[in-house]
Amino acid sequence: MADIQRQAKVSTLHKLYGDRYNQAEATCLLKHHDWDERETINFIQESEPRDVRKLIQRLSGNETSEIQKDEDLVRSVTKGLTTDMRQFSCSPCDQVWWRTVPINKPVSKCKLCKTKYDPVPKEMMWGWAIFKCECGKEFSGFGQMGVTRSECYQCGLSPYPSTIRPPNRRRTPKSKLKHKCDAPDCPGCGHSGNDTEEDMVKKCVHPRSRVGKPKVMFSSEAHVSTGSTISSFRDQDELCSAMYNTSLSSIRENLK
């Protein structure tokens, strides 16, 4: 399943149960049910809130392995840092920015509309990418995590980015080879016109490709203040109501 499809399911679940489960918790529940959206919703509706919460807390014990895959976060933890550089975006204003924010409460405000946003999920960030190919070669260029792949000029394989950095932290190019990713609108991809439906949703993030086009590749979620950085661990019993007893078809209609 494509990362874009998975993120869409996470967004659907988060919008439906936004006051009960944040995006990380929604992802946790979907993963547990093999990304079956209907099965996940049925489980939430048919279970006691405290049982769902216990499952999330138990599954969250596996988060350590995920953190170890995040090079920037590992570096921060190793150095004893409490902040992290995160990407934010405001779709209505078509603004993209990076901010150093507290790890436990990453929030930033759009300078134009003053709306507060949560960061772009790390699996959807875009910018200056580091690629690590199976052949052992490491190279860099513009890309988006889990979406665009860039060709390795040493072996011809096209890996996904392993890390995304702000463009101002880019490395000095070691060669004069042109940017080439697998997005149909990439100026160096040699578009054949035989793209699959999944390929067509890919967009080249190179600044040259974005001229006259939207800069936001993935919209940040508007931040919902809970008044506490650990609010997701509070008892959810008082949040249960008939509003959550709905069908998947009605969810789709309401989200359109």
Side-chain angles (χ1 to χ4, degrees), residues 83-236:
T83 59
D84 191 19
M85 177 68 76
R86 297 299 303 270
Q87 183 180 43
F88 296 84
S89 66
C90 176
S91 188
C93 299
D94 196 29
Q95 294 294 304
V96 182
W97 67 98
W98 292 78
R99 286 287 182 276
T100 299
V101 292
I103 292 178
N104 66 323
K105 195 170 184 178
V107 180
S108 186
K109 183 186 297 185
C110 174
K111 289 185 176 180
L112 296 183
C113 66
K114 309 304 180 184
T115 300
K116 290 184 178 180
Y117 287 102
D118 292 331
V120 173
K122 290 197 172 185
E123 64 271 18
M124 296 302 294
M125 292 195 308
W126 68 96
W128 189 247
I130 308 300
F131 298 87
K132 294 182 178 179
C133 186
E134 292 180 13
C135 70
K137 180 178 177 59
E138 179 176 316
F139 58 98
S140 54
F142 286 94
Q144 183 176 13
M145 288 290 286
V147 178
T148 54
R149 299 186 294 178
S150 194
E151 182 178 339
C152 171
Y153 286 112
Q154 180 169 291
C155 68
L157 293 177
S158 297
Y160 286 107
S162 61
T163 307
I164 298 292
R165 307 183 190 281
N168 61 356
R169 291 189 177 183
R170 59 184 294 179
R171 300 176 180 178
T172 302
K174 295 181 180 180
S175 70
K176 295 183 179 180
L177 295 172
K178 294 183 178 180
H179 170 76
K180 183 178 181 181
C181 69
D182 63 347
D185 61 344
C186 176
C189 72
H191 177 49
S192 63
N194 298 318
D195 303 294
T196 64
E197 183 177 347
E198 182 178 338
D199 290 330
M200 292 306 294
V201 301
K202 297 180 180 181
K203 303 296 181 184
C204 178
V205 302
H206 193 288
R208 185 170 63 251
S209 298
R210 303 318 305 162
V211 175
K213 301 176 184 177
K215 290 182 271 185
V216 173
M217 310 306 296
F218 190 90
S219 301
S220 287
E221 291 276 354
H223 177 69
V224 179
S225 178
T226 61
S228 171
T229 57
I230 57 171
S231 60
S232 60
F233 292 96
R234 69 187 188 277
D235 192 345
Q236 301 293 324

Side-chain angles (χ1 to χ4, degrees), residues 74-83 103:
V74 169
R75 191 178 299 109
S76 296
V77 172
T78 302
K79 293 182 178 180
L81 302 179
T82 58
T83 59
I103 292 178

